[in-house]
Amino acid sequence: MLDIYWKAGKMGFQTKQGMHLTTARWRYAERLDDRTGIVCDAAGYALLRIHPRRLIPLDCERADRYGIGLVRIRRNGKFGLLDRDGKIIIPAEYDVLTRHHGQFNIIGRQRKYGLLNRLGEWVRPLVYDAILPINQRGNNRFACIRRGKTEAAV
């Protein structure tokens, strides 16, 4: 299991037992899965594969974990998704891409919204005027609204 450690104000990766897998050299580090981390230093954001050791530079101004094994990026103010190898899943052309609504997340462009699941797959198309999270009996759900009417509750 991959874990994060701090040393002299920098972050690195270690095992749960405390064995260092990397030096502490990044100003930001986040675990993506058991073999991959998201890191950032003066050169920018990158994916770090632990086994085999490989650094994959990301051309973006921000990167963080999304769902299961995916990376949400922001490039030129727009959001997109990459897989753990840096391949594009959703191009960085969306104004909104949430990441903390349980099983589904809101994605939007030019005031139209849709839903993605945690694997980056489309659940609802980009046709809604608004998508509102609702909590019903402890279940996170969404009201998908188009032309003033709720068309779907997911």
Side-chain angles (χ1 to χ4, degrees):
M1 186 71 124
L2 199 57
D3 205 2
I4 306 256
Y5 77 96
W6 286 84
K7 183 175 180 182
K10 299 287 184 176
M11 301 170 86
F13 292 98
Q14 67 182 11
T15 65
K16 286 287 185 190
Q17 294 77 28
M19 184 179 91
H20 291 188
L21 299 170
T22 69
T23 58
R25 58 174 284 219
W26 295 283
R27 66 179 168 95
Y28 171 81
E30 180 178 7
R31 178 184 175 273
L32 184 61
D33 59 30
D34 288 342
R35 298 182 318 239
T36 312
I38 303 168
V39 296
C40 182
D41 60 14
Y45 284 89
L47 291 172
L48 175 67
R49 297 300 300 260
I50 301 295
H51 301 291
R53 186 161 321 244
R54 187 173 76 167
L55 196 63
I56 304 166
L58 301 176
D59 177 25
C60 63
E61 58 217 36
R62 180 80 176 121
D64 53 16
R65 187 176 59 209
Y66 175 95
I68 300 171
L70 298 177
V71 179
R72 180 179 72 159
I73 62 164
R74 188 179 72 211
R75 180 183 301 141
N76 299 322
K78 301 290 184 175
F79 293 94
L81 290 178
L82 306 176
D83 69 10
R84 63 178 48 112
D85 294 316
K87 293 184 180 128
I88 297 171
I89 303 297
I90 301 284
E93 55 189 38
Y94 295 90
D95 303 317
V96 174
L97 178 53
T98 64
R99 71 173 192 133
H100 293 296
H101 288 296
Q103 294 296 317
F104 304 111
N105 290 285
I106 300 167
I107 186 168
R109 177 176 58 200
Q110 298 174 352
R111 297 184 184 179
K112 291 295 178 186
Y113 302 93
L115 288 176
L116 296 178
N117 66 16
R118 295 178 58 199
L119 299 173
E121 299 166 334
W122 289 92
V123 176
R124 292 286 176 196
L126 202 65
V127 297
Y128 298 99
D129 301 318
I131 297 181
L132 304 172
I134 54 177
N135 189 337
Q136 189 175 34
R137 295 186 198 124
N139 296 321
N140 291 326
R141 299 188 64 180
F142 292 90
C144 300
I145 302 167
R146 184 162 48 168
R147 296 185 193 105
K149 296 183 179 182
T150 301
E151 291 191 3
V154 181

